[in-house]
Amino acid sequence: MIAETTVPALAAWVPLTRGAATAIFSVALAVFLLTSGVRWVTLGESFYLDEFAKYHISRVTGLSNDELAKVARAFVTYFQSEPGRLDVVVNLPEGPTRLLNEREIIHMEDVQLLVQKILRLWTLSLAMLILSGIVIVAVDRETAGRAVLIASAIGGALAVFVIGALGVASLIDFERLFLQFHFMSFSNDFWLLDPRTDRLIQLYPEGFFYDSALRIALETVIGGAVIFTTSAAALRFIER
């Protein structure tokens, strides 16, 4: 049997445990929404093709639409593959040729590493979301529904305000943010490419990344707003 004196001590741990689980759940939800947006853009072949068409990449590179589709598939596959080189051969009017030069291939190895870290973060955030949700429910099942809704509302609001602020900053001065992102993400200067000669920057001009950033921010903010408003409405309903 449990001594009566231990009951208050156990009860005191309930709000602390739930509070910690709520904080983890909220942050994990915001991270999951953000990384889901990154995942959708990075692994979305249709997004690549739409951007190629928007920026007339066929005309810039000399690659046909079929070759550009092959390139898009190659990049999506590469980001999900074991670490290695992105050696792609494409057909140009003058004949088969390597898509990327050595400098670009080395940079893509760095990009692959970064993308795979984000993909692992997506998996981790999903796992933490599930585990913290289980803890929230387990510590007090009678109030579990309300507690999960509160955690969801906080996570949704966090995604809206933090990612929304970054989205606004991108609208104001994307070039500066994009430059700082490269300084923070890469320890070398292989990302400095010449649009006159390097196909990687011809395929993915700054406009591509601007569109990507706005798409990710928009999807994250919309997802967070939907979760926040739904959770808040459900809370009002159950508290009547």
Side-chain angles (χ1 to χ4, degrees):
M1 296 179 63
I2 300 176
E4 291 183 5
T5 54
T6 64
V7 174
L10 289 173
W13 279 99
V14 171
L16 292 176
T17 303
R18 176 166 281 179
T22 298
I24 293 172
F25 184 98
S26 302
V27 173
L29 178 57
V31 172
F32 177 74
L33 290 172
L34 174 61
T35 53
S36 292
V38 175
R39 195 172 189 271
W40 187 91
V41 166
T42 306
L43 304 182
E45 186 177 329
S46 61
F47 178 76
Y48 287 68
L49 297 178
D50 289 343
E51 292 292 298
F52 289 163
K54 178 178 179 179
Y55 292 104
H56 309 289
I57 302 303
S58 179
R59 187 173 64 199
V60 174
T61 61
L63 294 168
S64 67
N65 288 333
D66 288 341
E67 289 298 303
L68 287 175
K70 184 172 75 173
V71 168
R73 285 192 298 271
F75 274 82
V76 170
T77 300
Y78 179 68
F79 289 138
Q80 300 174 88
S81 302
E82 293 296 319
R85 293 166 60 85
L86 181 60
D87 282 319
V88 178
V89 175
V90 292
N91 293 309
L92 289 168
E94 58 268 27
T97 185
R98 292 174 65 192
L99 177 68
L100 306 177
N101 60 41
E102 193 62 26
R103 184 182 182 88
E104 293 169 306
I105 289 173
I106 294 173
H107 177 55
M108 283 309 303
E109 291 176 349
D110 294 336
V111 173
Q112 183 194 45
L113 179 62
L114 177 62
V115 169
Q116 292 190 346
K117 285 180 179 178
I118 295 172
L119 296 180
R120 286 195 292 271
L121 183 58
W122 178 84
T123 302
L124 177 62
S125 64
L126 178 58
M128 295 306 296
L129 198 57
I130 295 171
L131 290 175
S132 58
I134 291 173
V135 172
I136 290 172
V137 172
V139 293
D140 188 353
R141 294 187 179 181
E142 290 185 5
T143 59
R146 181 176 182 276
V148 170
L149 289 173
I150 290 174
S152 298
I154 295 172
L158 187 64
V160 169
F161 287 109
V162 174
I163 307 306
L166 288 174
V168 171
S170 295
L171 289 171
I172 296 172
D173 193 353
F174 176 77
E175 187 173 348
R176 181 179 179 183
L177 285 178
F178 193 49
L179 188 62
Q180 290 301 317
F181 167 80
H182 280 81
F183 285 133
M184 294 171 58
S185 301
F186 305 113
S187 59
N188 53 55
D189 65 353
F190 290 116
W191 53 272
L192 292 172
L193 302 173
D194 188 341
R196 297 170 299 178
T197 58
D198 297 324
R199 288 199 186 90
L200 189 57
I201 197 171
Q202 292 173 355
L203 287 164
Y204 305 107
E206 186 175 303
F208 174 92
F209 295 100
Y210 178 80
D211 294 343
S212 299
L214 290 186
R215 176 69 65 89
I216 292 167
L218 187 61
E219 290 186 359
T220 304
V221 168
I222 290 175
V226 169
I227 291 172
F228 173 78
T229 54
T230 302
S231 299
L235 275 170
R236 287 195 297 269
F237 178 78
I238 65 175
E239 290 176 352
R240 286 179 180 177

